[in-house]
Amino acid sequence: MAQGAHAATAILARTWDRVDTQSYIAPDNLALMHKIVLQTPKNVSLAQLSEQLRDAELQTDIPPHYLWIEEPEHIPTCLAIAPNSKPDALVKILKKCTLVRS
């Protein structure tokens, strides 16, 4: 959970000037925040997913993301995507990931 909080805070800090982020963290919308926790398939690492997203960000309307690297082990542990309205290109990349259910 700590790594998820770190990654979420980092992407909000990096994208605070985006309209979607401003709307997401607006005081009147705090109770409406929505997050989805996905897991990558066994054959796809977080680093690979981050690379796919980074490549797609250059070509499409995919929002920025932040890959949290746990130190001192230097292990990718969590990836957070900036608040967004689920553009088709993002959905296509993430469709291989599955919803984590508790």
Side-chain angles (χ1 to χ4, degrees):
M1 286 179 52
Q3 287 87 8
H6 290 318
T9 301
I11 195 59
L12 291 175
R14 281 210 171 150
T15 64
W16 68 270
D17 58 340
R18 294 180 76 239
V19 172
D20 285 343
T21 299
Q22 291 173 2
S23 175
Y24 185 76
I25 62 174
D28 290 344
N29 289 337
L30 294 180
L32 304 175
M33 287 183 170
H34 182 74
K35 291 175 184 56
I36 298 173
V37 179
L38 302 173
Q39 63 185 10
T40 59
K42 293 184 190 281
N43 63 338
V44 178
S45 71
L46 282 174
Q48 290 169 322
L49 182 60
S50 177
E51 188 174 314
Q52 291 173 13
L53 290 168
R54 192 173 20 256
D55 290 345
E57 284 173 27
L58 300 173
Q59 302 169 17
T60 64
D61 62 346
I62 289 182
H65 73 282
Y66 189 94
L67 179 63
W68 181 260
I69 308 289
E70 189 65 20
E71 298 296 351
E73 299 87 357
H74 201 67
I75 298 171
T77 58
C78 186
L79 187 148
I81 300 171
N84 66 83
S85 57
K86 298 196 296 188
D88 291 340
L90 178 61
V91 171
K92 184 177 178 183
I93 291 172
L94 295 180
K95 73 178 179 180
K96 62 181 147 255
C97 300
T98 55
L99 185 63
V100 174
R101 299 181 186 269
S102 55

